[in-house]
């Protein structure tokens, strides 16, 4: 309830303010500047045609720094028409000069700098010859027909055009990186990290020595069995061959692509950010190869938060939705290997251009936080010459976080929120109970395409490879029921040991139980690892059944017999169970089922630096508003609300377990931290009262474009687009003013809050001349408390809307801003961008505005 969270005595309010100030001071007192910059969000920064100047670089970096960003990621891409002569060739002397200048200016401003190891995506360019370019194999009459894919670098910048690299080539990566060797040996200022975008080498499934490598690794001749890749009947041998084929591709991708790139980067003083998704390999192994595994949040998750908009043009069938289980592949790899940072491409196609609000961005970031992500990269910002008129240069597939964004004035509010959260998330350690094995061989068995086609593990449509497998169904169940877990691969299992208490340890994270989903195909090497761990005392649960078929087609009958005997042996161990009641078996292994999930809340559990439990909790639905919740096994907790500080919580004991009262309306988030003692907050009356503020509203347009509409008077709140005088095209800020009296004695409003209802899109509020703050996300609520008086209250609310309505006019009058090469600018359906077809978007204060007390 709003009242329960807002009604604090003076001492508690002062304590909250003091703690907030101390935490903010601590953030800025980090001795390590790099540590400080990673707690802040970073942004992709597209250099269109690399037609950049030092003066404009400085101007934009200063904006980033002032806005609260921690760094930028340079990605050179296609150019803008009319700037051909200003374009700088990638890795040329002039390009390197401005890159070094950017790094030095970033250092001056406290900004880090990353860059892609290339332009556009995926890796490729002018030094990729036909000999190391991506190849595609199809099976025709039982024989391999190998052709170049012919794919070229997508969205390439000048100097970066060329063929896409063969990701399985023995020497391809070394030859590709040789171009960077020569240039970076001369530079005096280098970026922090090298970046590898999501795997999009479409059709690549072969390399020159693939048959030889297959023979060496799988112990039989693939060419003699090649026709089985075309088998669509699912015969046992064909399935085994397809698994072996995928296994070989996965190993080559890891050994020849991911590892050489990361090793080269480290040898040259760079850390690495790697988007492994979209590839045919085991994502867990590929993510772990990098210093900073990076996932991707593409599109909208369609949270059931009241008032949260979803762009009606966004197509789930075309793009899918972000999914926390896909994100957990990156965070799991980081947790197992002790990597502190896990990043994410954030905000890609969240809604159409000019239509994204800060209130839509926050829940997507909260979802990332709950999935273990702690290093946000906005997608993104576009370098744009300062002389360019609105809207400047824009990238085709992004949310605009740049200087021309309609939310640029309030952008620092989002960034301070992200910084606050990431500082806590980065300085804590994983605390997950369950390790879930990822049976990729079952995936290869069920999803393998005929004729040598490979299945790509992409993040957009996880329903096509993850959610319909028993592994995906199990993981989704664990997530929804409140279990804390990580994924583990066959290769990663080899690093685990078992302590005297039966805890599994990777050396960086510990787990109480290893769960093997219902699987059919299983490597004998992995079964041997399970036997090793089980004999050491690890608690292992097979969900519903033991694996049935050993992978590997070579000498399969003999190996299957041995495999069956090993299965019989492991199933007899007392600490190994084939479960018919997973919840009961997890509870028997002391695994905690968090009640937060049962209440409809999303969370991540970690351990703070002092070893106490730390939870980030977000209400991404509409089933919970406030209530009693048991945290963990009943720990006492304090609440830490981002940008507000810490406060104690009401506690009660039920059935021998402590419960805390959590007030968290839809759209809100907080941290819960282990507390050393109980609460000193008295119980409050749970009855919530409301007083709607009605009367005559004065609306005055303050600043914006194309021009300021005439002032208006409203007796009921409505969108300003319904007003005359071209208000339907207005983008900017308007002030709403009303005078009202309270009903009843002033004392009853002591802890009152003010709820603005529907705000389009950001509102700054003053009450009787006192600044109450700015609300930029759902729920649009503020503490009103001491600013109220019995009579003559003056409420002033300044509301800023989106730029979509103005673009409806701009696209009619001056569509010349759309002047980019390649794809130019498209809408969210990938059709030619045309804002003139849009209907006006509701704007301003829609209400109802209420006092809640």
């Amino acid at each position: 309830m709003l009242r329960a969270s807002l009604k604090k005595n003076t001492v508690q309010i002062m304590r909250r303010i003091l703690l907030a100030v101390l935490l903010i001071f601590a953030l800025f007192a980090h001795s390590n500047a790099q540590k400080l910059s990673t707690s802040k969000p970073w942004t992709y920064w597209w250099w269109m045609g690399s037609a950049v100047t030092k003066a404009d670089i400085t101007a934009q970096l200063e904006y980033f720094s002032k806005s609260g960003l921690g760094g930028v990621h340079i990605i050179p891409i296609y150019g803008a028409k009319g700037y051909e002569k200003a374009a700088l060739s990638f890795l040329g002397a002039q390009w390197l000069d401005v890159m070094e200048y950017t790094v030095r200016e970033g250092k001056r401003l406290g900004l880090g700098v990353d860059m892609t190891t290339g332009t556009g995506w995926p890796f490729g360019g002018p030094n990729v010859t036909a000999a190391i370019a991506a190849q595609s194999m199809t099976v025709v009459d039982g024989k391999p027909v190998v052709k170049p894919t012919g794919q070229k670098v997508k969205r390439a910048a000048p100097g970066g055009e060329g063929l896409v690299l063969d990701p399985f080539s023995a020497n391809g990566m070394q030859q590709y990186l040789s171009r960077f060797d020569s240039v970076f040996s001369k530079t005096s200022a280098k970026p922090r990290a090298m970046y590898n975008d999501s795997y999009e080498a479409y059709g690549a499934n072969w390399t020159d020595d693939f048959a030889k490598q297959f023979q060496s690794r799988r112990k039989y001749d693939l060419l003699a069995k090649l026709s089985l890749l075309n088998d669509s009947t699912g015969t046992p041998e064909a399935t085994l061959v397809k698994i072996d084929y995928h296994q070989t591709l996965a190993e080559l991708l890891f050994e020849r692509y991911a590892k050489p790139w990361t090793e080269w980067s480290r040898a040259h003083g760079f850390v690495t950010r790697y988007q492994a998704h979209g590839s045919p390999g085991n994502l867990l192994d590929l993510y772990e190869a990098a210093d900073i595994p990076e996932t991707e949040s593409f599109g909208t998750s369609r949270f059931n938060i009241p008032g949260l908009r979803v762009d009606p043009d966004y197509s789930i069938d075309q793009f899918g939705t972000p999914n926390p289980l896909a994100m957990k592949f990156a965070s799991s790899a980081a947790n197992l290997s002790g990597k502190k940072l896990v990043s994410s491409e954030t905000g890609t196609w969240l809604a159409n251009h000019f239509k994204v609000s800060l209130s839509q961005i926050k829940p997507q970031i909260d979802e990332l936080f709950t999935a273990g992500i702690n290093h946000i990269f906005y997608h993104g910002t576009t370098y744009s010459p300062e002389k360019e008129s609105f809207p400047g240069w824009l990238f085709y597939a992004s949310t605009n976080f740049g200087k021309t964004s309609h939310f640029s004035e309030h952008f620092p509010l989002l960034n301070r929120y992200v910084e606050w959260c990431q500082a806590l998330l980065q300085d804590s350690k994983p605390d997950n109970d369950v390790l879930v094995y990822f049976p990729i061989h079952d995936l290869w068995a069920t999803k393998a395409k005929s004729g040598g086609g490979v299945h790509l593990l992409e993040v957009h449509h996880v329903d096509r490879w993850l959610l319909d497998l028993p592994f995906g169904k199990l993981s989704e169940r664990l997530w929804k029921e409140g279990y804390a877990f990580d994924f583990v691969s066959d290769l990663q299992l080899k690093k685990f040991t078992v302590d005297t208490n039966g805890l599994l340890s990777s050396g960086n994270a510990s787990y109480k139980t290893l769960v093997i989903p219902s699987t059919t195909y299983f490597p004998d090497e992995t079964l041997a690892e399970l036997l090793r761990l089980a004999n050491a005392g690890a608690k292992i649960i097979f969900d519903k059944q033991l694996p049935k078929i050993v992978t590997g087609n070579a000498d399969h009958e003999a190996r299957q017999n041995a495999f069956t005997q090993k299965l019989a042996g492991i199933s007899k161990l007392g600490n190994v169970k084939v479960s018919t009641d997973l919840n009961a078996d997890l509870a028997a292994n002391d695994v905690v089922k968090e009640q937060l999930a049962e209440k409809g809340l999303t969370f991540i559990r970690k351990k703070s630096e002092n070893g106490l439990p730390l939870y980030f909790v977000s209400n991404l639905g509409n089933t919970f508003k406030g209530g009693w919740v048991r945290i963990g096994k009943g720990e006492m907790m304090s609440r830490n609300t981002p940008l507000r500080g810490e406060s104690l919580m009401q506690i009660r004991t039920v059935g021998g377990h402590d419960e805390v009262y959590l007030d968290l309306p839809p759209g809100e988030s907080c941290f819960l931290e282990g507390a050393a003692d109980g609460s000193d907050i008295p119980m409050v009356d749970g009855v919530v009262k409301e007083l709607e503020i009605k009367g005559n509203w004065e609306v005055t347009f303050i600043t914006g474009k194309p021009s300021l509409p005439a002032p208006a008077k409203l007796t009921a709140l409505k969108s300003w687009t319904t007003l005359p005088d071209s208000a339907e095209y207005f983008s900017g800020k308007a002030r709403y003013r009303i005078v009202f009296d309270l009903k009843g004695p002033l004392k009853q409003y002591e802890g009152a809050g003010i709820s603005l209802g529907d705000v389009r899109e950001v509102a700054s509020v003053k009450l009787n001349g006192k600044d109450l703050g700015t609300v930029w996300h759902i729920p649009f609520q503020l503490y009103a408390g001491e600013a109220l008086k019995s009579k003559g209250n003056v409420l002033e609310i300044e509301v800023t809307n989106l730029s979509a309505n103005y673009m409806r006019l701009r696209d009619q009058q001056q569509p010349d801003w759309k002047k980019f090469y390649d794809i130019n600018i498209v809408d969210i359906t990938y059709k030619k961008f045309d804002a003139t077809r849009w209907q006006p978007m509701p704007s301003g204060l829609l209400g109802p505005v209420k006092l809640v007390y």
Side-chain angles (χ1 to χ4, degrees):
M1 291 175 292
L2 180 63
R3 187 182 180 201
S5 67
L6 294 173
K7 190 171 184 178
K8 310 295 183 185
N9 60 39
T10 303
V11 173
Q12 290 161 344
I13 293 171
M14 293 305 296
R15 181 173 183 263
R16 171 180 285 183
I17 294 171
L18 176 60
L19 286 166
V21 171
L22 288 174
L23 183 52
I24 292 172
F25 178 82
L27 285 171
F28 287 92
H30 281 311
S31 58
N32 187 332
Q34 190 65 49
K35 183 178 181 182
L36 176 61
S37 69
T38 58
S39 65
K40 297 178 180 180
W42 290 37
T43 183
Y44 286 75
W45 194 21
W46 295 285
W47 283 8
M48 302 196 92
S50 297
V52 299
T53 67
K54 291 180 179 179
D56 284 350
I57 286 172
T58 292
Q60 287 168 54
L61 290 178
E62 287 176 345
Y63 162 76
F64 296 148
S65 179
K66 183 179 179 181
S67 298
L69 294 181
V72 297
H73 168 190
I74 299 171
I75 308 181
I77 57 167
Y78 53 86
K81 295 175 183 177
Y83 283 81
E84 292 81 0
K85 292 182 179 179
L88 306 178
S89 182
F90 180 61
L91 297 185
Q94 290 179 295
W95 191 94
L96 290 170
D97 180 50
V98 292
M99 182 276 293
E100 290 184 87
Y101 177 82
T102 302
V103 174
R104 289 192 294 268
E105 279 291 89
K107 186 175 182 181
R108 177 180 70 84
L109 296 166
L111 296 167
V113 177
D114 291 355
M115 68 170 281
T116 302
T117 320
T119 78
W121 63 90
F123 284 177
N127 70 327
V128 174
T129 63
I132 60 168
Q135 300 181 47
S136 176
M137 184 275 295
T138 54
V139 180
V140 179
D141 296 331
K143 296 181 179 179
V145 176
V146 180
K147 297 179 180 179
T149 65
Q151 183 183 355
K152 295 185 178 180
V153 176
K154 195 174 182 180
R155 319 305 182 207
E161 305 94 335
L163 294 171
V164 167
L165 177 67
D166 176 0
F168 313 110
S169 169
N171 301 306
M173 182 59 78
Q174 288 85 346
Q175 183 173 325
Y176 175 72
L177 292 172
S178 64
R179 184 186 186 199
F180 296 85
D181 273 322
S182 58
V183 297
F184 280 107
S185 63
K186 307 169 188 176
T187 54
S188 58
K190 295 181 179 180
R192 174 195 70 154
M194 284 287 163
Y195 170 79
N196 192 339
D197 207 336
S198 58
Y199 180 98
E200 294 187 27
Y202 298 120
N205 64 353
W206 196 258
T207 196
D208 289 344
D209 67 338
F210 186 86
K212 180 180 178 181
Q213 288 295 323
F214 188 98
Q215 174 84 51
S216 173
R217 297 162 189 262
R218 309 282 84 87
K219 307 305 180 186
Y220 66 96
D221 181 9
L222 173 64
L223 299 181
K225 305 283 187 180
L226 204 60
S227 60
L228 293 176
L229 294 182
N230 275 343
D231 182 275
S232 59
T233 62
T235 61
E237 186 179 19
T239 300
L240 290 170
V241 171
K242 289 178 181 179
I243 293 174
D244 285 344
Y245 172 72
H246 277 80
Q247 178 75 47
T248 305
L249 285 172
E251 290 172 1
L252 293 179
L253 181 67
F254 178 73
E255 296 167 14
R256 294 178 168 186
Y257 187 80
K259 284 186 67 176
W261 171 70
T262 56
E263 289 168 356
W264 174 90
S265 297
R266 290 167 186 160
H268 286 74
F270 305 112
V271 297
T272 53
R273 285 176 37 231
Y274 184 17
Q275 288 194 354
H277 47 269
S279 78
N282 194 315
L283 300 188
L284 292 164
D285 300 331
L286 295 169
Y287 279 132
E288 186 178 331
D291 299 294
I292 306 174
E294 178 160 310
T295 187
E296 178 178 338
S297 179
F298 185 107
T300 172
S301 297
R302 295 178 179 258
F303 302 113
N304 189 29
I305 299 172
L308 182 66
R309 299 191 310 279
V310 174
D311 193 320
D313 292 330
Y314 183 85
S315 169
I316 291 180
D317 291 339
Q318 184 176 5
F319 299 121
T321 60
N323 189 289
L325 296 180
M327 300 165 189
K328 283 182 73 67
F329 278 83
S331 60
S332 295
N335 292 343
L336 268 58
S337 55
K339 294 176 170 63
K340 183 174 181 177
L341 300 178
V342 193
S343 56
S344 176
E345 171 186 323
T346 307
T348 309
W349 278 136
L350 181 51
N352 221 327
H353 299 289
F354 310 105
K355 289 188 175 183
V356 178
S357 67
L358 293 176
S359 64
Q360 291 171 298
I361 298 169
K362 179 186 179 290
Q364 298 296 155
I365 291 176
D366 284 353
E367 180 179 58
L368 286 163
F369 287 159
T370 62
I373 309 308
N374 60 19
H375 191 17
I376 295 296
F377 276 77
Y378 297 131
H379 192 275
T381 58
T382 309
Y383 171 95
S384 184
E386 294 293 298
K387 67 179 182 181
E388 283 287 320
S389 61
F390 181 87
W393 292 359
L394 295 180
F395 184 61
Y396 77 96
S398 74
T399 295
N400 179 17
F401 292 87
K403 293 179 74 173
T404 61
S405 171
H406 44 247
F407 55 64
S408 61
E409 176 187 351
H410 303 107
F411 189 31
L413 299 174
L414 171 65
N415 295 333
R416 285 199 289 270
Y417 171 78
V418 173
E419 179 184 5
W420 182 293
C421 294
Q422 291 191 158
L424 290 173
L425 294 170
Q426 291 175 12
D427 286 340
S428 53
K429 295 183 178 180
D431 185 26
N432 296 322
D433 291 334
V434 180
L435 201 59
V436 180
Y437 169 71
F438 174 41
I440 195 169
H441 301 83
D442 266 18
L443 172 67
W444 289 333
T446 58
K447 298 295 183 180
K449 300 176 182 178
S450 64
V454 296
H455 190 81
L456 305 178
L457 283 65
E458 39 98 6
V459 297
H460 305 309
H461 285 285
V462 295
D463 53 308
R464 296 176 182 174
W465 65 270
L466 193 159
L467 298 182
D468 61 348
L469 291 176
F471 161 76
K473 295 181 187 300
L474 170 68
S475 300
E476 195 168 31
R477 173 186 169 187
L478 294 174
W479 177 263
K480 290 180 178 179
E481 292 186 1
Y483 293 102
F485 61 95
D486 279 326
F487 301 139
V488 65
S489 72
D490 301 273
L491 184 62
Q492 289 167 336
L493 275 174
K494 295 181 179 180
K495 70 173 69 176
F496 276 84
T497 58
V498 184
D499 69 10
T500 55
N501 297 315
L503 290 177
L504 290 141
S505 175
S506 68
N508 299 288
S510 297
Y511 304 87
K512 296 176 181 177
T513 297
L514 170 61
V515 175
I516 311 298
S518 179
T519 60
T520 300
Y521 296 90
F522 207 78
D524 48 6
E525 299 89 349
T526 302
L527 183 58
E529 291 299 322
L530 296 189
L531 273 168
R532 175 182 65 83
L533 295 170
N535 286 328
K539 301 177 184 67
I540 300 175
I541 298 174
F542 289 89
D543 185 36
K544 297 185 179 67
Q545 65 176 45
L546 293 169
K548 297 177 180 178
I549 303 173
V550 68
T551 59
N553 189 52
D555 195 22
H556 188 263
E557 184 176 353
R559 292 174 51 254
Q560 180 65 41
N561 291 334
F563 181 76
T564 303
Q565 292 178 3
K566 287 180 185 178
L567 282 174
I570 195 172
S571 63
K572 293 177 182 178
L573 296 176
N575 51 319
V576 177
K577 186 157 190 178
V578 179
S579 178
T580 57
D581 187 344
L582 184 61
N583 294 90
D585 291 328
L586 289 172
N589 289 352
D590 198 34
V591 172
V592 177
K593 184 181 181 183
E594 294 286 355
Q595 200 179 76
L596 288 163
E598 180 185 316
K599 301 289 186 179
L601 301 171
T602 309
F603 73 95
I604 184 172
R605 187 182 73 212
K606 304 192 76 176
K607 283 187 177 178
S608 63
E609 288 183 310
N610 58 14
L612 292 174
L614 174 71
Y615 293 76
F616 173 78
V617 186
S618 184
N619 191 346
L620 298 174
N622 191 29
T623 60
F624 183 88
K625 292 178 177 62
W628 293 99
V629 185
R630 185 177 71 250
I631 307 298
K633 296 180 179 179
E635 284 87 355
M636 289 183 289
M637 309 298 291
S638 65
R639 172 173 176 153
N640 192 337
T641 303
L643 301 180
R644 297 181 202 165
E646 189 175 1
S647 60
L648 298 176
M649 304 181 74
Q650 299 168 21
I651 293 178
R652 72 179 185 183
T653 302
V654 177
H657 298 284
D658 286 334
E659 294 182 344
V660 298
Y661 190 87
L662 182 61
D663 189 331
L664 202 71
E668 192 58 272
S669 55
C670 70
F671 284 89
L672 301 178
E673 302 181 59
D677 53 23
S679 171
D680 59 0
I681 296 181
M683 292 294 294
V684 298
D685 179 8
V687 178
V688 176
K689 299 178 181 179
E690 295 180 346
L691 172 64
E692 185 173 351
I693 299 173
K694 297 180 179 179
N696 296 315
W697 292 89
E698 298 175 0
V699 183
T700 305
F701 293 90
I702 304 170
T703 181
K705 48 185 172 291
S707 59
L708 298 183
K713 292 185 178 181
L714 304 175
T715 56
L717 292 172
K718 60 182 180 180
S719 171
W720 75 46
T721 59
T722 62
L723 300 176
D725 193 26
S726 72
E728 70 171 273
Y729 295 114
F730 180 73
S731 173
K733 185 182 299 183
R735 181 186 298 113
Y736 291 73
R737 184 181 185 275
I738 192 171
V739 180
F740 68 96
D741 299 333
L742 299 181
K743 294 182 179 179
L746 178 62
K747 186 174 178 59
Q748 68 178 325
Y749 296 93
E750 234 173 38
I754 185 167
S755 173
L756 302 184
D758 191 358
V759 176
R760 304 294 182 98
E761 303 292 330
V762 178
S764 298
V765 184
K766 285 185 179 181
L767 179 58
N768 296 322
K770 182 177 180 180
D771 187 359
L772 301 187
T774 300
V775 284
W776 52 274
H777 67 84
I778 299 169
F780 294 102
Q781 299 173 346
L782 288 165
Y783 175 70
E786 299 171 356
L788 286 165
K789 56 186 183 181
S790 296
K791 300 285 185 180
N793 291 282
V794 179
L795 179 61
E796 296 173 295
I797 305 171
E798 293 185 358
V799 182
T800 305
N801 73 334
L802 304 173
S803 53
N805 289 344
Y806 170 67
M807 288 307 298
R808 296 171 54 243
L809 180 65
R810 174 63 194 267
D811 251 12
Q812 291 178 39
Q813 297 177 341
Q814 294 176 294
D816 56 331
W817 67 275
K818 296 176 285 190
K819 57 182 180 183
F820 315 115
Y821 283 101
D822 200 279
I823 197 172
N824 196 351
I825 192 84
V826 294
D827 66 15
I828 201 168
T829 66
Y830 279 75
K831 296 177 182 177
K832 183 179 178 181
F833 184 87
D834 181 6
T836 64
R837 298 194 298 260
W838 291 348
Q839 294 299 309
M841 292 196 69
S843 298
L845 182 63
L846 308 188
V849 178
K850 300 177 180 180
L851 288 178
V852 184
Y853 60 101

